[in-house]
């Protein structure tokens, strides 16, 4: 496996971990203070796993863009 392929896999893994971590923090820390919950905690199960995926995946893609640029993995075309 080449060094570039390994760096690309690292970019995808780190980006998705960061994306889902940010989404989890948003769902559990920020979302309870918005809307009708009045500070009552919300779990990821209550939020919904499908909604959680569709929240975390696009945030992860934002991290892919930045890590691709910083690590010069050329995932995205120039």
């Amino acid at each position: 496996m080449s060094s570039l392929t390994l760096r690309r896999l690292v970019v995808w893994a780190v980006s998705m971990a960061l994306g889902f971590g940010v989404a989890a923090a948003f769902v559990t820390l920020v979302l309870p203070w918005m809307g009708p919950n009045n500070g009552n905690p919300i779990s990821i199960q209550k939020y919904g796993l499908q909604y959680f995926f569709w929240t975390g995946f696009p945030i992860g893609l934002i991290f892919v863009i930045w890590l691709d640029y910083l690590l010069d993995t050329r995932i995205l075309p120039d």
Side-chain angles (χ1 to χ4, degrees):
M1 185 180 310
S2 71
S3 172
L4 184 62
T5 304
L6 183 61
R7 282 193 305 176
R8 287 178 177 174
L9 289 173
V10 167
V11 164
W12 276 103
V14 169
S15 297
M16 289 302 127
L18 286 171
F20 285 104
V22 168
F26 177 78
V27 167
T28 58
L29 300 174
V30 176
L31 204 57
W33 296 102
M34 301 172 73
N37 294 314
N38 297 325
N40 295 326
I42 297 175
S43 67
I44 293 174
Q45 287 78 21
K46 183 177 179 183
Y47 182 67
L49 291 177
Q50 184 176 4
Y51 292 126
F52 179 69
F53 173 79
W54 289 112
T55 304
F57 183 70
I59 296 171
L61 289 178
I62 293 169
F63 284 111
V64 167
I65 292 168
W66 281 103
L67 288 176
D68 176 46
Y69 173 75
L70 293 174
L71 296 177
D72 193 32
T73 56
R74 297 189 183 114
I75 293 171
L76 300 172
D78 291 333

